[in-house]
Amino acid sequence: MLKKRILSSHFMCVLYSIFLIFVCSFILVIPVSAESVLQLQTQIADYRSVLLQWESEQMDSSFYLYRSFDGSNYTMMASLSGQAGTVKCYDHDVKMGKTYYYKIVQMEHDKVVGESEAEKVKVVLPTPTDFKTKVIKKTRVQLTWNKVQNAYSYTIYRSTKSSGGFQKIATIKGARYIDYDVSRGTTYYYKIVANHKKKKNWQSQKSSVVSAHLKMVAPAVVGSYAKNKIKLTWTKVKGADSYYVYKENNNGKFELVKKTSKLYYKDGNVKKGKSYTYKVLAIDKVNGSVVKGDACLPYTIKAVDIDPNQKMVALTYDDGPGIYTEDIVNCLKANQAKATFFVLGCNVDSHKKALVAADKIGCEIGNHTYGHPMLSRLSEEAIRKEITQTDKKIENAIGKKATIMRPPGGDYNNMVAKTVGKPIIMWSIDTRDWEHRNSSRVYSSVMNNVKDGDIILMHDIHKATRDASMTLIPRLRREGYQLVTVSELAQYRGYSLEKGKVYHRLGRKATKNN
Ligand code: ZN
């Protein structure tokens, strides 16, 4: 090794048949007085040839190369000398499917100084070279390799472990394969073999393993501000061990502020009224090293309770409180959201707990009459009774009166409007949940239509509506909607709600030009 010279590091010898004839009769018994062990390496080089190579340490060594068909009767094939470094020698005189044994013996001044172990080589197709992976558009893996002469097809094996568990995924004829059946946040390992046209057992050896990692998706982040803290929450990412939270500093650079396995981060280092920008990405530990997923787009949030520059809508639930109300309240709470419940006076006492819970997280309680009559058919006195009885029930439960009302069935006229003594809140999106009782229809009727300033009509007495709310609320939050009460929506969009007036939506008022 010490005398290894780079410039003269290898030479080749091609074994001509004339030389073979010359040495063929020489059957050898290899001397046993070997002092050093030589490492002979063999490889199927090109189609029908075997590459033999070893290291030569000294210029004055010579090497005898022997070959056998059965592992016991060796024939000398070549004598090589005068080189230091890697010695390479090709045996082109081989047949597909046959097995050969090779040995080398090192000589110095006619004395045997070393010998290699016998190397058994079955001549098959060469293993495809330059086998490599490339992740395309983050969602699929492209495999490419060099074509092997006389290969009919290639079989690709895949595993999600670096060793073991490999399964055949495809046999194809070209030199390119795209694996679509992959998922983000996973590392895939591949091997390939070349198949011969004629015989199955002439296929190449399996290639060494190559891998491809599909980056984890970015988490979807939403934030809210309350009690002098910004709270970020994000969606769980497949394949993630933990998450890194970055915060933009004064120089516009993102600094790592938190490593967490949780799905939220609370930042107390904020000043009210200022905006802050964050990024969150998922982390996976692969073989001890950190693999980062895609970062979410920079998420900016202002340290104010409600940011009027952001989109906002009011979810409203009528006819409760009922057995599903608390589930909805819990979901709102978990998503830093609020809603408005237009309750029936007759239901308040039996579901008082739900109403108190809703009030506690900042939801608004509106008046939906006591017993759900069509108000236009009632006398003024009867209308007043419906309203005041319900106000009393609400006040008794949460300690405050309802300041807004919604008439049952949306039924009102001038007399009703005058008599109820409160702003009348209608809606701009009707989910018709009471009619179809189908949660995916509730969900899509909102998601397909929602825009800033909408008032969304639902009923918290239906299971389908509860179920839809569980996905609808986080989805709206992820889409950037602040879920506010009707009164907050009015306040931030510049409406002063007036008694007896009717409101359908509370969008941004058109800015006056001229
Ligand atoms: Zn109703």
Side-chain angles (χ1 to χ4, degrees):
M1 291 297 185
L2 291 170
K3 290 186 183 172
K4 191 174 195 175
R5 287 173 211 168
I6 304 300
L7 286 174
S8 61
S9 66
H10 58 273
F11 72 96
M12 298 171 195
C13 107
V14 175
L15 300 173
Y16 299 103
S17 51
I18 196 158
F19 177 71
L20 276 169
I21 291 160
F22 178 71
V23 296
C24 241
S25 57
F26 183 75
I27 304 292
L28 176 99
V29 178
I30 290 168
V32 287
S33 60
E35 286 171 8
S36 66
V37 176
L38 283 164
Q39 287 284 326
L40 172 62
Q41 291 180 320
T42 62
Q43 189 187 324
I44 313 287
D46 300 308
Y47 179 57
R48 290 189 186 179
S49 68
V50 176
L51 168 64
L52 303 139
Q53 56 184 337
W54 63 90
E55 296 298 319
S56 168
E57 293 183 6
Q58 283 161 316
M59 285 281 284
D60 52 358
S61 282
S62 56
F63 299 93
Y64 293 161
L65 173 63
Y66 297 96
R67 189 175 80 170
S68 162
F69 297 107
D70 56 10
S72 57
N73 299 313
Y74 282 87
T75 304
M76 193 172 92
M77 300 182 70
S79 158
L80 307 150
S81 61
Q83 291 292 330
T86 304
V87 182
K88 285 190 178 184
C89 183
Y90 288 89
D91 182 1
H92 294 295
D93 186 40
V94 293
K95 282 207 171 78
M96 191 61 93
K98 290 249 188 231
T99 299
Y100 302 89
Y101 299 80
Y102 296 93
K103 271 188 184 184
I104 48 165
V105 172
Q106 186 177 7
M107 307 291 287
E108 266 168 36
H109 314 298
D110 299 330
K111 201 181 155 218
V112 172
V113 293
E115 136 183 31
S116 75
E117 299 279 314
E119 285 295 316
K120 185 181 173 183
V121 180
K122 188 184 175 196
V123 178
V124 291
L125 284 176
T127 308
T129 55
D130 210 20
F131 181 45
K132 56 191 178 194
T133 63
K134 188 182 173 189
V135 176
I136 296 178
K137 293 189 175 166
K138 297 178 181 178
T139 54
R140 46 198 187 255
V141 178
Q142 176 186 262
L143 301 165
T144 53
W145 57 91
N146 287 340
K147 274 194 167 182
V148 172
Q149 194 189 342
N150 271 45
Y152 180 68
S153 63
Y154 304 88
T155 302
I156 295 155
Y157 299 83
R158 189 182 81 177
S159 176
T160 49
K161 293 178 286 181
S162 57
S163 58
F166 281 86
Q167 293 197 327
K168 191 197 280 191
I169 57 163
T171 296
I172 58 153
K173 284 185 178 167
R176 179 171 173 260
Y177 177 74
I178 293 177
D179 188 3
Y180 290 93
D181 186 24
V182 290
S183 51
R184 306 262 320 247
T186 312
T187 304
Y188 293 94
Y189 299 87
Y190 298 92
K191 286 182 187 180
I192 189 170
V193 297
N195 303 309
H196 196 273
K197 246 176 215 157
K198 287 181 188 161
K199 292 205 178 174
K200 211 185 162 221
N201 64 355
W202 290 2
Q203 75 172 190
S204 76
Q205 302 210 315
K206 278 185 183 144
S207 69
S208 49
V209 174
V210 295
S211 67
H213 176 76
L214 284 96
K215 268 192 169 191
M216 287 172 286
V217 295
V221 177
V222 294
S224 63
Y225 171 81
K227 295 172 190 156
N228 304 314
K229 277 184 184 151
I230 284 176
K231 186 184 181 188
L232 300 176
T233 59
W234 52 86
T235 50
K236 201 175 162 105
V237 171
K238 193 188 164 225
D241 280 345
S242 59
Y243 301 86
Y244 284 5
V245 181
Y246 297 82
K247 185 181 182 183
E248 192 177 24
N249 66 19
N250 293 333
N251 305 320
K253 292 220 166 92
F254 283 90
E255 284 175 353
L256 181 63
V257 290
K258 185 75 181 175
K259 296 177 180 182
T260 179
S261 56
K262 299 196 170 77
L263 296 173
Y264 66 84
Y265 167 64
K266 281 184 187 170
D267 187 359
N269 188 21
V270 294
K271 281 197 188 115
K272 194 162 187 174
K274 263 195 85 179
S275 287
Y276 298 90
T277 302
Y278 302 87
K279 278 185 191 176
V280 183
L281 56 80
I283 291 295
D284 188 15
K285 294 243 166 74
V286 180
N287 304 324
S289 60
V290 166
V291 178
K292 287 179 182 175
D294 277 349
C296 67
L297 291 174
Y299 178 83
T300 301
I301 176 168
K302 201 170 180 183
V304 289
D305 297 315
I306 295 164
D307 183 354
N309 296 319
Q310 304 295 319
K311 296 183 283 189
M312 56 180 88
V313 292
L315 299 180
T316 65
Y317 294 95
D318 291 7
D319 297 359
I323 55 170
Y324 304 117
T325 307
E326 251 185 302
D327 287 347
I328 294 168
V329 169
N330 289 335
C331 182
L332 289 164
K333 188 182 173 190
N335 288 280
Q336 302 99 44
K338 296 173 207 172
T340 301
F341 293 89
F342 287 100
V343 300
L344 293 176
C346 66
N347 285 339
V348 169
D349 286 348
S350 48
H351 297 283
K352 205 168 167 177
K353 204 177 139 221
L355 210 63
V356 170
D359 175 62
K360 208 180 152 193
I361 65 158
C363 288
E364 182 166 20
I365 311 302
N367 190 317
H368 196 43
T369 74
Y370 194 88
H372 213 265
M374 294 297 111
L375 293 181
S376 65
R377 295 176 201 166
L378 299 190
S379 66
E380 287 182 27
E381 197 194 334
I383 292 170
R384 264 185 226 107
K385 201 177 165 197
E386 285 286 333
I387 299 298
T388 50
Q389 266 188 311
T390 304
D391 274 350
K392 267 183 203 153
K393 288 285 182 191
I394 293 170
E395 192 173 6
N396 184 36
I398 63 167
K400 50 193 154 189
K401 278 196 183 87
T403 59
I404 53 174
M405 73 83 61
R406 175 174 285 161
D411 171 54
Y412 69 90
N413 56 22
N414 285 341
M415 183 274 290
V416 172
K418 244 190 332 196
T419 312
V420 293
K422 295 180 197 293
I424 295 174
I425 309 300
M426 298 293 280
W427 52 84
S428 55
I429 293 179
D430 185 356
T431 61
R432 302 197 73 79
D433 58 341
W434 56 273
E435 194 178 53
H436 54 68
R437 315 271 178 103
N438 178 319
S439 63
S440 61
R441 279 182 71 179
V442 176
Y443 178 88
S444 56
S445 65
V446 176
M447 292 317 302
N448 293 345
N449 298 296
V450 67
K451 56 196 171 303
D452 177 74
D454 272 328
I455 299 171
I456 297 159
L457 172 61
M458 293 183 281
H459 298 81
D460 53 329
I461 53 168
H462 303 303
K463 185 178 177 293
T465 304
R466 187 270 310 265
D467 293 347
S469 298
M470 299 297 125
T471 49
L472 191 58
I473 291 165
R475 177 67 195 274
L476 284 167
R477 293 289 288 122
R478 282 205 296 283
E479 302 270 316
Y481 284 97
Q482 301 176 95
L483 304 183
V484 297
T485 66
V486 169
S487 291
E488 285 167 341
L489 185 60
Q491 182 197 328
Y492 287 98
R493 289 293 174 255
Y495 297 82
S496 49
L497 299 176
E498 289 169 39
K499 285 178 188 172
K501 256 187 101 173
V502 181
Y503 301 88
H504 292 268
R505 63 188 311 274
L506 297 161
R508 279 196 174 90
K509 287 176 178 170
T511 42
K512 279 170 199 159
N513 295 321
N514 307 326

